[in-house]
């Protein structure tokens, strides 16, 4: 049994998907940084595409079915969560939001979360800050300072920095995708290393005493 | 073991014909269905309570009172009585009256109701749902069990020396079930009072039902009402039966696909695998429901939802013939086999009266009929005054 469990959610749709690629890179960086702190880690990665039908069914029937149940248990019971979505029409994808919508509103409370997003151009990068971050703040998750956006161009690597920037290449490198992934992974690892996240309480383990409910002393 | 049916009382368009029954047709269909349930040998008919279209049963005791006169044997119940938005004083009165008229053939199931807008229509707040259920039921119990009740709570005006009338038949209040799908507090409430707990599992995976029922059983024992396996458990169920499995699936699929609750979501096959819905031959229904006790333990009441999703009355009556004729008799036999002797049946009026007598408590005293303590007047005073008025008018 490893010291920490990191759940990874990718809302990418294509195969292979750059969203999944970013999710995997963030997970690698997190595991490496946990390792540097002497902690072993298990990574559980889920593609929302695989449970797309179950997500809609959950909205309609009110309960998770099939593989979705295991996914929810893994996510809410993890010590850290990496959540990565493509940006669709200015925001997280509908599939990603559907997943968040079926989470119990208290289930991510205090959960260390690292956010990532992908898009065609860097113009969408702030979607992470104006849509993703508030969403997880609402859920009282502990969101890492750094969130990572990867545009199509970013995947060509630092060597591909725009030639006309000339002497500014050094600062471009510093902001390149790779270094952002490393920084984000370090931040999530620091939070997850601090303490294991407590799994959601079993509602049947600590139901209130009925005399308390009745308001009797 | 009791077998019966429960109706939501929805007015739903038949997706195969596009026809929608009128409210009048639907209410009369409910009456016909209840009578049919008795005719085919079922033990319980329970009606829902709703206060918004497309549902018709807003006044359960009116319906059940009428059915009490139209039936001889079947137990009349609710699924559920809204303990949150109804005034507990009115519930105490209405169901005590029904109990007398039905000669004890009645019990009821408390529920919170899950339709948000209904709460403000009755001056309540859904966020207080659990607290309303707890306070209102605590008062209801006192109104049935005590006279001259002085009471003060958070949600209703205080009572001073109030006696609910009529008093429960033979001094025994109707047996109460508490229905809840996901709130441990309600299972706790049922356990605290030693009442029944009903899990309407028809839209839920069995694992979830098992968790709730086991919790209730554990707490029932904790509160000293008996062993966990003696707690009073009821389950929902949902079936569509035809002599052959293929015919059942073919006929039910359009109703499933368009059903208000789960329609346009999971497939019929997925939903039957995940929930107690069983669509098939009598034998398939028997096999599925005979297996329920392996999951929740020997239980006391099994109710089926049969008249919903726009199924025409004729079909529902055919379903009841199959349920009462071919399914339930076999289930009765199979569930009786191997049932431990110490597992009780669901309490009935007769068994509750017998238990009361056995405990040495006699028939209750008649209420003092000498006068109305609030006006100081007696019925005879009114007669005298009436005579005087008549004389002076002459």
């Amino acid at each position: 049994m490893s010291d920490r469990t990191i759940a990874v959610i990718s809302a990418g749709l294509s195969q292979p998907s750059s969203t999944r690629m970013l999710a995997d890179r963030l997970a690698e960086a997190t595991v490496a940084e946990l390792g540097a702190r002497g902690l072993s880690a298990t990574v559980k990665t889920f593609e929302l595409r695989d449970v797309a039908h179950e997500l809609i069914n959950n909205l309609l029937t009110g309960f998770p079915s099939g593989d979705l149940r295991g996914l929810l248990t893994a996510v809410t019971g993890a010590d850290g969560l990496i959540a990565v979505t493509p940006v669709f029409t200015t925001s997280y994808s509908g599939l990603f939001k559907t997943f968040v919508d079926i989470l119990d509103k208290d289930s991510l409370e205090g959960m260390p979360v690292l956010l990532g997003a992908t898009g065609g151009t860097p113009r969408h990068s702030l979607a992470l800050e104006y849509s993703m971050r508030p969403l997880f703040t609402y859920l009282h998750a502990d969101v890492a300072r750094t969130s990572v956006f990867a545009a199509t161009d970013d995947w060509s690597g630092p060597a591909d920095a725009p030639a006309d920037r000339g002497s500014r290449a050094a600062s471009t490198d510093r902001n390149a995708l790779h270094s952002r992934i490393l920084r984000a992974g370090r931040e999530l690892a620091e939070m997850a290393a601090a303490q294991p996240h407590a799994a959601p309480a079993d509602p049947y383990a600590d139901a209130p005493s009925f005399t308390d409910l009745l308001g009797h002393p | 073991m009791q077998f019966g049916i429960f109706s939501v009382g929805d007015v739903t368009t038949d997706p195969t014909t596009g026809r929608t029954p009128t409210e009048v047709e639907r209410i009369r269909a409910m009456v016909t269905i209840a009578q049919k349930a008795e005719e085919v040998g079922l033990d319980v008919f329970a009606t829902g309570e709703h206060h918004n279209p497309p549902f018709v049963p807003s006044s359960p005791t009116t319906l059940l009172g009428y059915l009490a006169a139209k039936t001889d044997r079947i137990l009349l119940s609710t699924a559920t009585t809204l303990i949150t938005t109804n005034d507990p004083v009115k519930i105490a009165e209405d169901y005590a009256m029904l109990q007398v008229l039905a000669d004890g053939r009645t019990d009821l199931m408390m529920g919170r109701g899950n339709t948000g807008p209904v709460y403000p229509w009755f001056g309540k707040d859904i966020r207080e749902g659990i607290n309303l259920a707890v306070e209102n039921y605590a008062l209801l119990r006192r109104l049935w069990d005590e006279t001259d009740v002085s009471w003060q709570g958070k949600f209703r005006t205080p009572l001073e020396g109030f006696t609910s009338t009529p008093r429960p038949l033979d001094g025994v209040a109707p047996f109460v079930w508490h229905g809840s799908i996901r709130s441990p507090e309600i299972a706790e409430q049922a356990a605290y009072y030693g009442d029944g707990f009903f899990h309407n599992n028809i839209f839920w995976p069995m694992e979830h039902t098992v968790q709730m029922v086991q919790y209730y059983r554990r707490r029932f024992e904790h509160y000293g009402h008996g062993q966990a396996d003696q707690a009073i458990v009821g389950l929902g169920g949902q079936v569509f039966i035809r002599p052959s499995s293929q015919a059942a699936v073919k006929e039910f699929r359009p109703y499933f696909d368009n059903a208000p609750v789960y329609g346009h979501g999971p497939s019929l096959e997925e939903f039957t695998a995940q929930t107690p819905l069983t669509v098939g031959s009598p034998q398939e229904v028997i096999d599925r429901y005979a297996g329920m006790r392996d999951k929740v333990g020997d239980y006391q009441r099994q109710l089926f939802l049969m008249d919903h999703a726009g199924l025409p009355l004729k079909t529902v009556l055919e379903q009841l013939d199959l349920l009462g004729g071919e399914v339930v008799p076999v289930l009765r036999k199979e569930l009786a086999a191997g049932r431990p002797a110490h597992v009780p049946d669901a309490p009935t009026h007769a068994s509750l009266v017998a238990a009361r007598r056995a405990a040495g408590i006699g028939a209750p005293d008649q209420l003092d009929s000498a006068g109305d303590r609030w006006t100081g007047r007696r019925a005879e005073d009114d007669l005298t005054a009436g005579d005087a008025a008549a004389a002076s008018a002459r």
Side-chain angles (χ1 to χ4, degrees), chain B residues 333-384:
Chain B
K333 218 185 280 173
E334 294 202 4
L335 293 180
R339 188 182 173 102
H342 68 272
V343 172
D345 287 330
T348 60
H349 183 70
S351 78
L352 291 170
V353 169
R356 188 181 157 95
R357 299 288 181 270
I361 309 169
D365 294 334
Q366 284 299 303
L367 283 185
D368 177 13
S369 61
D372 175 340
R373 55 185 294 191
W374 298 113
T375 61
R377 295 180 65 83
R378 301 172 305 148
E380 292 77 7
D381 295 340
D382 291 336
L383 288 177
T384 315

Side-chain angles (χ1 to χ4, degrees), chain A residues 6 75 100:
Chain A
I6 304 297
V75 166
V100 174

Side-chain angles (χ1 to χ4, degrees), chain A residues 208-216, chain B residues 130-131 134-135 185-186 188:
Chain A
S209 126
F210 198 73
T211 37
D212 288 349
L213 277 178
L214 277 171
H216 297 165
Chain B
I130 295 271
N131 293 329
V134 170
E135 177 177 306
E185 292 92 340
I186 299 302
E188 182 81 12

Side-chain angles (χ1 to χ4, degrees), chain B residues 117-137:
Chain B
V118 174
Y119 283 73
W121 295 336
F122 292 90
K124 300 293 190 289
D125 179 346
I126 194 170
R127 290 167 299 182
E128 295 284 1
I130 295 271
N131 293 329
L132 281 161
V134 170
E135 177 177 306
N136 285 350
Y137 185 63

